[in-house]
Amino acid sequence: MTETAHAAAEGVAETTPGKGLAEGVAETTLHEQRARTARPPASPRAPVTLPGVLRGLLKTTRPKQWVKNTLVIAAPAAAGRLFSMPSLLRLGLTFALFTACAAAVYLINDARDAEADRAHPVKCRRPVAAGQVPVPVAYAVGGVLAVLGPLLAARLTPPLVPVLLTAYLGMQLAYCVALKHVLVVDLVVVTTGFLMRAMIGGVALGIPLSRWFLITTGFGALFMVSAKRYSEAVQMAGKAGATRALLTEYTTGYLRFVWQLAAGVAVLAYCLWALEGHRGPAAGLLPWRQLSMVAFILAILRYAVFADRGTAGEPEDVVLGDRALALIGLAWLAMYGLAVAHW
């Protein structure tokens, strides 16, 4: 019995090291698997290549937003000075310079917010946040555009154009750094950006800007900006987080008041502008400029439908995405074009 127990003990001693080794390997593998599971998966990043960087830079400049810069033709169109070749060339140059300055702001803003954007479910796809465009490259290209825009304007356009471009750059960069966190000021800065677009075309051609034109443009822009903020606030109500931290400071009631006030002032100013431009008998077949007030008011009312529903996003998306609003806009353009042509 003793010999048998001794042999069994030796067998256990011989098999125990092998078993311990296997268990140790299994435990190590289990720990590695747990460590990999605990670590968040790294977001796959495409290798940085020159074509990829160029595509990313172009995407970062927001080509879809360039349509806003067509406001540079607003004042020349209103004055009937849009269809001469020198005017078109100068307006084309002004449009390109303003677009370059706006692109500089987008590049610097995205470079500055790259870390925060990587944690955002949508903004993480932006080229700088996704690593397609290195942050130093975005800063460098944005800085070059910010310097070249006003410098070229100083050489090729009237003196007030580079002044406006420099003011626009300074204001927008201040907005990116601090002003977007200040109540009301954030609305004023974005609205002023639209107003500067409308002003710079008239300044480039030396066209005097009517006070009613400026009021209509300014409050029309405020109407769209505050309607967009209101829609964002409505959509985030009851949800955790916000795409804009400042939205938590605004109430929907206040933003509704702002867009309603802005719409009323814009309509009143446009009517006064249209009536101011004609004091004698009609030069054409019909008083097209005065009739354009109807289309303008209808456009405001139609846009207000989306604002009231909380679905007024980017202005260009609202206008181009709604067939009725687009048709009203075309009717307004046609009537105003006939007024300018004195038909």
Side-chain angles (χ1 to χ4, degrees):
M1 182 67 70
T2 305
E3 291 178 359
T4 305
H6 181 68
E10 287 180 353
V12 170
E14 289 175 357
T15 58
T16 299
K19 182 179 179 182
L21 180 61
E23 289 177 350
V25 172
E27 187 176 354
T28 303
T29 304
L30 182 61
H31 281 309
E32 289 177 354
Q33 290 175 347
R34 286 175 178 173
R36 284 196 297 269
T37 305
R39 287 194 301 266
S43 57
R45 293 189 182 182
V48 177
T49 62
L50 181 58
V53 170
L54 293 177
R55 285 194 300 270
L57 287 172
L58 179 61
K59 185 177 179 181
T60 305
T61 62
R62 318 281 206 280
K64 191 177 179 182
Q65 304 287 338
W66 295 356
V67 67
K68 296 176 182 177
N69 299 334
T70 58
L71 277 172
V72 300
I73 70 173
R81 300 218 2 222
L82 189 59
F83 299 107
S84 67
M85 186 55 66
S87 296
L88 288 174
L89 290 175
R90 182 165 288 183
L91 284 175
L93 175 62
T94 304
F95 173 86
L97 292 172
F98 204 104
T99 300
C101 291
V105 174
Y106 286 131
L107 285 162
I108 293 172
N109 177 72
D110 282 11
R112 186 177 181 276
D113 293 344
E115 281 299 323
D117 288 348
R118 290 187 186 112
H120 193 277
V122 176
K123 294 180 180 179
C124 64
R125 301 189 187 99
R126 289 177 175 177
V128 180
Q132 183 180 358
V133 176
V135 170
V137 173
Y139 271 125
V141 176
V144 169
L145 290 175
V147 172
L148 281 181
L151 283 180
L152 289 174
R155 294 183 61 86
L156 302 173
T157 62
L160 279 180
V161 173
V163 172
L164 272 176
L165 289 177
T166 303
Y168 173 82
L169 282 167
M171 182 181 67
Q172 294 298 323
L173 291 175
Y175 175 84
C176 294
V177 173
L179 297 183
K180 63 182 177 183
H181 303 298
V182 183
L183 281 171
V184 181
V185 174
D186 69 312
L187 297 175
V188 173
V189 170
V190 179
T191 298
T192 305
F194 282 96
L195 185 59
M196 285 183 168
R197 289 171 169 88
M199 290 174 60
I200 200 166
V203 169
L205 298 184
I207 298 171
L209 300 174
S210 163
R211 61 187 182 278
W212 299 122
F213 171 79
L214 295 175
I215 294 172
T216 301
T217 305
F219 279 91
L222 179 60
F223 166 60
M224 292 186 290
V225 170
S226 54
K228 181 186 175 185
R229 290 285 196 276
Y230 173 78
S231 297
E232 291 174 342
V234 169
Q235 291 170 10
M236 67 156 279
K239 298 179 182 178
T243 54
R244 300 178 191 273
L246 200 60
L247 280 179
T248 58
E249 303 291 333
Y250 285 117
T251 64
T252 54
Y254 175 78
L255 291 171
R256 173 181 282 273
F257 163 74
V258 173
W259 70 253
Q260 289 176 340
L261 173 67
V265 175
V267 167
L268 177 61
Y270 184 86
C271 292
L272 292 171
W273 180 38
L275 293 171
E276 180 187 60
H278 179 72
R279 295 190 178 90
L285 182 63
L286 290 172
W288 295 114
R289 186 163 180 167
Q290 289 72 36
L291 288 174
S292 71
M293 293 187 297
V294 177
F296 185 85
I297 294 170
L298 286 176
I300 292 289
L301 291 175
R302 181 70 183 180
Y303 201 103
V305 170
F306 298 97
D308 186 63
R309 292 174 180 170
T311 56
E314 294 290 344
E316 61 272 17
D317 292 337
V318 176
V319 174
L320 299 177
D322 181 63
R323 184 176 299 178
L325 186 54
L327 289 175
I328 293 171
L330 289 174
W332 175 81
L333 284 173
M335 284 189 281
Y336 202 88
L338 291 170
V340 171
H342 302 294
W343 282 11

